[in-house]
Amino acid sequence: MNRALSNLPLFPLSGHVLPGGTMRLRIFEPRYLRMVREVCARGDDGRIGMCMYNEHGSVEQNTHIHPVATLARIIDFEHCDDGLLGITVEGVEACEIKQIKVDGDGLRCGEVEIINHWQETPLQRQHQHLADRLCQVYAEYPELGKCPSDERLSCADWVCRRWLELLPLNAEVKQELLREPSCEPTLDYLNGLIDESEKQL
């Protein structure tokens, strides 16, 4: 039986974080400041549902939030010079939103089920270029942090998630790939993108 969580605060964004990834955010809206306070008050059990924004959905009907989301925990926070609150979240598990309710201040909370997401999958030699190129991206954009030099780069599922976070793909495409039972379709998709880009050079 899938694990379920109730009353999980939801944070819809155009940027995406998946399990194993991190994201820095600047918080200023009162509803999200409340969210941070309440999540931090729960200690290690505090979680946020990081959701993909559906630009074709309706805010009134809550269809602006795609169903496949990421449970994330707050791992760092700071008060920025401009008065905003900066937080860093880390993706922990994949989940699916089953129901959404709206609080009086506009904060959305959901009933969610934890998804048994992609199993750990060794990165095969024919896909090594995906890890190599990922490190090149990290080197070109220092704000992403340092490219990991540990066993994470040898995991196809980890590499695929990082590419899905970074690539400017439609959220619908990412949702479809994340619903797959393994990362293999994402590997095929990424290889197709690289082959197409090389043809255009």
Side-chain angles (χ1 to χ4, degrees):
M1 179 180 295
N2 289 341
R3 291 163 47 217
L5 294 175
S6 61
N7 206 36
L8 179 78
L10 305 177
F11 198 169
L13 291 170
S14 55
H16 307 141
V17 62
L18 301 176
T22 60
M23 175 184 284
R24 297 181 68 181
L25 301 166
R26 291 157 64 85
I27 309 296
F28 60 92
E29 292 187 52
R31 55 181 166 172
Y32 295 126
L33 290 171
R34 175 170 73 88
M35 174 190 73
V36 172
R37 287 196 303 269
E38 293 179 354
V39 168
C40 289
R42 296 173 188 165
D44 292 340
D45 294 330
R47 295 289 185 270
I48 300 171
M50 303 299 296
C51 310
M52 296 187 187
Y53 185 81
N54 180 4
E55 60 184 12
H56 304 297
S58 164
V59 174
E60 291 76 18
Q61 299 178 8
N62 291 321
T63 55
H64 67 299
I65 294 177
H66 281 294
V68 179
T70 301
L71 286 182
R73 63 189 183 100
I74 298 173
I75 59 173
D76 194 15
F77 65 91
E78 62 179 341
H79 292 283
C80 304
D81 293 338
D82 55 10
L84 302 184
L85 176 66
I87 66 171
T88 301
V89 298
E90 177 184 52
V92 179
E93 294 179 285
C95 64
E96 183 168 5
I97 302 166
K98 298 297 184 179
Q99 190 173 348
I100 298 175
K101 71 177 182 69
V102 186
D103 290 348
D105 61 359
L107 180 66
R108 284 163 171 79
C109 297
E111 307 290 324
V112 306
E113 285 187 358
I114 309 302
I115 298 174
N116 292 322
H117 203 227
W118 303 341
Q119 298 298 312
E120 185 172 310
T121 305
L123 187 70
Q124 301 300 322
R125 180 174 299 178
Q126 67 266 29
H127 300 309
Q128 180 60 41
H129 61 287
L130 294 176
D132 296 339
R133 292 196 176 203
L134 183 63
C135 283
Q136 291 175 4
V137 172
Y138 275 86
E140 292 174 11
Y141 299 93
E143 63 271 20
L144 296 175
K146 292 184 178 180
C147 186
S149 58
D150 57 19
E151 68 277 1
R152 286 175 290 181
L153 282 174
S154 65
C155 296
D157 50 297
W158 190 91
V159 170
C160 284
R161 290 189 186 104
R162 302 295 74 78
W163 276 116
L164 289 182
E165 290 171 342
L166 294 170
L167 288 172
L169 304 172
N170 289 335
E172 289 81 3
V173 173
K174 297 184 182 184
Q175 289 278 307
E176 182 178 349
L177 291 171
L178 291 170
R179 286 185 179 277
E180 294 288 347
S182 77
C183 66
E184 294 297 331
T186 301
L187 286 171
D188 293 339
Y189 186 86
L190 294 173
N191 282 322
L193 287 180
I194 289 177
D195 289 343
E196 185 63 29
S197 66
E198 289 179 346
K199 291 177 182 178
Q200 297 175 3
L201 294 179

